[in-house]
Amino acid sequence: MSLFTRSVEHSWRYDQLFPLYARLPWRAAYGLAAWQSRYFYQKQAQTRESIRQQMQLVFPEAGLEQVDGWVRDYFRMVEQEALDTWWLDRPVIPEIVSLQGFEAVQAARAAGQKVLLSSGHFGRFWLAGPAMRRAGYTIGTLTRDGGDTNKHGLHPAEYRYRLWKLQRLQASLGGAFLVEGEDLRCLYRELNQHLMTLLFDVSYTEIPRGSVTVPFLNGTISVPAGIYKIAKKTHAVVAPFYMRDSGSGPVVAEFSDLLNPHNYNDEEFMSLLAMQLESRIRARPGQWWLWEALPLLRR
């Protein structure tokens, strides 16, 4: 794909189409985003085939038609997740996203307990934030984006959108947005005021120190145990949540039982998070963002 074509695609998505959809009733807007995903399914052949290959390796018994349905669902999710950014502060958020099992988090905070939220790049996970904010909580996170330079080599239109998205998220969620690699003492302080989100993520360079190896999707992966260490150091509990996506716009943020890090060692704790994430991936393969990165996790 030429740079010119990429420029056109990134620009018209973010500068024309999504702002136009956001003027429509939300159900119509998400329907158009799903329809738009068909174009990118056809256009982004390399991404499509890479995801398809990884899915087929994990689900060798699945037929071609079934795998293709999962891949199409992935592209649909990507377009609708981008559209989510325009709806973060809209009054219709309660119609689009709901919380299930959040009562345990509310009870923990009412008792003065610090809470770390954990998700795994599964589904349109950012939408859980506005719903929690409407329930009376502020939410912060640790992110890779947000620096002054485009160090990940994103297309300029994509980079501008990412920065704008972070600004929208921070304004909507009300918590501190910290950039990965900064002093963690600030994160420790923010836990006193906010729910802080750490994602079950993959390192795109070398395997970080302190990583553990856990079972995952028919093999093993190496993952940083930072969330375990931070929770243990700060005496916080961890609240895993995962998104259930209807495909037509609405989502449900499903919260699992709270985890106390003092009941586990690092490998046990991260294995439990990996097991929870895997169960969601197996139920809805098209909802996981990191299919292309799976070989990096396998290192």
Side-chain angles (χ1 to χ4, degrees), residues 220-269:
T220 60
I221 57 173
S222 295
V223 292
I227 188 169
Y228 167 81
K229 294 175 182 177
I230 292 170
K232 193 170 183 179
K233 183 178 180 66
T234 59
H235 301 283
V237 293
V238 175
F241 72 92
Y242 306 90
M243 307 304 287
R244 176 159 48 87
D245 191 334
S246 68
S248 60
V251 295
V252 179
E254 299 177 328
F255 285 78
S256 302
D257 292 341
L258 299 181
L259 301 177
N260 186 334
H262 292 281
N263 294 338
Y264 309 90
N265 63 32
D266 55 355
E267 187 174 328
E268 292 168 341
F269 189 88

Side-chain angles (χ1 to χ4, degrees), residues 122 216-217 274-284:
F122 186 81
F216 189 69
L217 294 178
M275 182 178 67
Q276 290 188 7
L277 175 58
E278 178 173 341
S279 71
R280 270 67 178 190
I281 294 171
R282 289 189 177 278
R284 299 179 180 86

Side-chain angles (χ1 to χ4, degrees), residues 143-186:
T143 176
R144 281 183 174 151
D145 295 320
D148 295 330
T149 59
N150 183 8
K151 62 182 180 181
H152 298 300
L154 297 173
H155 187 278
E158 179 78 18
Y159 178 64
R160 290 194 303 271
Y161 162 71
R162 294 277 188 97
L163 293 181
W164 181 72
K165 177 180 180 178
L166 282 172
Q167 292 170 2
R168 294 271 295 162
L169 282 165
Q170 188 166 11
S172 299
L173 304 188
F177 273 46
L178 310 176
V179 178
E180 189 178 81
E182 293 180 345
D183 189 346
L184 285 180
R185 286 176 295 184
C186 184

Side-chain angles (χ1 to χ4, degrees), residues 54 144 201-208 220-223 288 290-299:
Q54 293 302 319
R144 281 183 174 151
D201 210 345
V202 58
S203 172
Y204 291 100
T205 54
E206 69 280 352
I207 298 175
T220 60
I221 57 173
S222 295
V223 292
W288 191 42
L290 299 184
W291 281 109
E292 288 187 282
L294 184 55
L296 292 177
L297 283 166
R298 298 277 195 222
R299 290 176 301 191

Side-chain angles (χ1 to χ4, degrees), residues 12-24 83 86:
W12 57 251
R13 278 180 85 226
Y14 299 127
D15 298 338
Q16 281 84 41
L17 288 184
F18 287 134
L20 175 62
Y21 298 164
R23 297 183 178 210
L24 302 172
L83 177 62
W86 276 262

Side-chain angles (χ1 to χ4, degrees), residues 27-98:
R27 292 187 185 276
Y30 282 101
L32 286 170
W35 176 83
Q36 179 176 298
S37 71
R38 301 177 189 177
Y39 170 82
F40 289 102
Y41 169 87
Q42 295 294 336
K43 193 72 173 178
Q44 297 178 358
Q46 184 175 349
T47 297
R48 182 185 71 227
E49 296 311 313
S50 176
I51 293 171
R52 190 195 310 275
Q53 181 183 37
Q54 293 302 319
M55 287 181 172
Q56 197 73 70
L57 289 173
V58 171
F59 301 99
E61 74 287 352
L64 293 178
E65 185 175 346
Q66 185 177 26
V67 173
D68 185 66
W70 295 337
V71 177
R72 289 177 182 274
D73 191 41
Y74 172 89
F75 277 87
R76 187 272 313 162
M77 176 190 67
V78 169
E79 295 307 297
Q80 290 187 341
E81 193 273 343
L83 177 62
D84 288 340
T85 307
W86 276 262
W87 297 90
L88 292 172
D89 56 357
R90 300 287 185 89
V92 296
I93 276 292
E95 300 177 40
I96 299 174
V97 56
S98 58

Side-chain angles (χ1 to χ4, degrees), residues 96-108:
I96 299 174
V97 56
S98 58
L99 305 175
Q100 182 177 310
F102 187 62
E103 295 82 5
V105 175
Q106 293 174 303

